[in-house]
Amino acid sequence: MTIRRDDAVRMDRDDPLARFRARFRLPDGVIYLDGNSLGPLLHTVRDRLDKVRDAEWGEALIRAWNAHHWFDLPKTVGDKIAALIGGGSGNVVAADTTSVNLFKMLSAALQLRPGRPVILSDNGNFPTDLYIAEGVAGAAGSDRRLQIVAPEEVAGAIADEVAVVMLTEIDYRSGRRHDMGEITARAHEAGALMLWDLSHSAGALPVDLLGADADFAVGCGYKYLNGGPGAPAFLFVHPRHQDKIRPPLSGWWGHEAPFAFDTDYRPADGIARQLCGTQPILSLAALDTALDLWSELDITDLREKSIRLSELFIAAVDGFAGEFGLTLASPRDPDARGSQVSWRHADGYAVMQALIGRGVIGDFRAPDIIRFGFAPLYIRYVDAWDAAAALNEVLATKAHLNPEYRRRAAVT
Ligand SMILES: *Cc1c(COP(=O)(O)O)cnc(C)c1O
């Protein structure tokens, strides 16, 4: 390879974020390049889970809702996430799943733009985003519909009939990045609203929702935010809309006075009306603690390291990619890319299985993409180098042709 391993070792020595790696539990012999799908366990999160289980649930029982502030968690966790995505305090809650929050935000957008039938999205979007949009359009009835165009065609497709543009900033397959400020401005010019999915952005790069003037946003808690499997998701509503929305999921947690137990629904003021029912407190507590680490660092440093890691990996793989039928699926320009690098290979599934067999964990996205996520809090430059070397070795020895790497499991 064109880059020497010693250079990577030197970059790690000078890395201002290096100290964060020890905060995570990372198994020996594993290079974990899948933190964009499921972030690893922080030691502080393990301790918090022990405490919530034993001292709070175990001992305080139902008193913990007040004594340990369980009831406030969606908002306190929401505020921590807001600080990371430029959402502003009081404009974000952590609750439910990304899919459910997409339902809430799309329903809100259609309410606010009654004469406009179209939800506009792109064909690089994550399937659940498109499926939920189809469901919301169907439930809204009449001529409401989802329109899907190519990512480069979105800006040109924002016509008068578009109620809301729904995009994921970072494409989950290729890592391609949409220009948030530009597309939001274009949507507003046409009288449409803008909904951003930040699942692959939050905790991966700087985001400024208020600066971009976004109307709505959603995102995941279990990817770069390290909240744990099935961690609650988040949603953002710009303050200009919060009190105008009548939530279709009008559950008691979004009621003005949940413990009045009234028979009629009156939505709470502000973002709280976007809550629905009782939340998974163990998971919310885990996410709450996982988020504390972000106040210790500057996200622009994180982004800088993410780019350097990705550039190192691309340069190393470029040295042998052509020989083995690998082509870069991510943009070459780091500004146009998130915190992942993806390659296409005709036998991608088996290649990734062979890598996982060597302790290099990335993932495969159909039909032919192998994906490597670079989470700068715990990935070292030397990990990027070693992952590239392992990929070279798999391809050079044709290890992926081994039948054991070709059997498909349910989760890829
Ligand atoms: C990961 C991801 C989701 C996941 O949604 P869930 O409801 O948590 O299963 C949705 N959208 C995007 C863009 C994602 O990357």
Side-chain angles (χ1 to χ4, degrees), residues 17 203-204 294 297-306 376-377:
L17 299 178
W294 296 95
L297 60 97
D298 185 338
I299 189 108
T300 55
D301 290 343
L302 182 103
R303 173 66 173 159
E304 197 179 308
K305 182 177 174 190
S306 152
L377 291 177

Side-chain angles (χ1 to χ4, degrees), residues 97-99 126 128-129 168 197 199-200 220 222-223:
T97 64
T98 303
S99 301
F126 192 81
T128 206
D129 300 54
T168 296
D197 188 327
S199 290
H200 289 275
C220 276
Y222 50 79
K223 293 173 178 168

Side-chain angles (χ1 to χ4, degrees), residues 120-133:
L120 178 67
S121 191
D122 74 45
N123 59 20
N125 211 340
F126 192 81
T128 206
D129 300 54
L130 302 175
Y131 301 162
I132 294 283

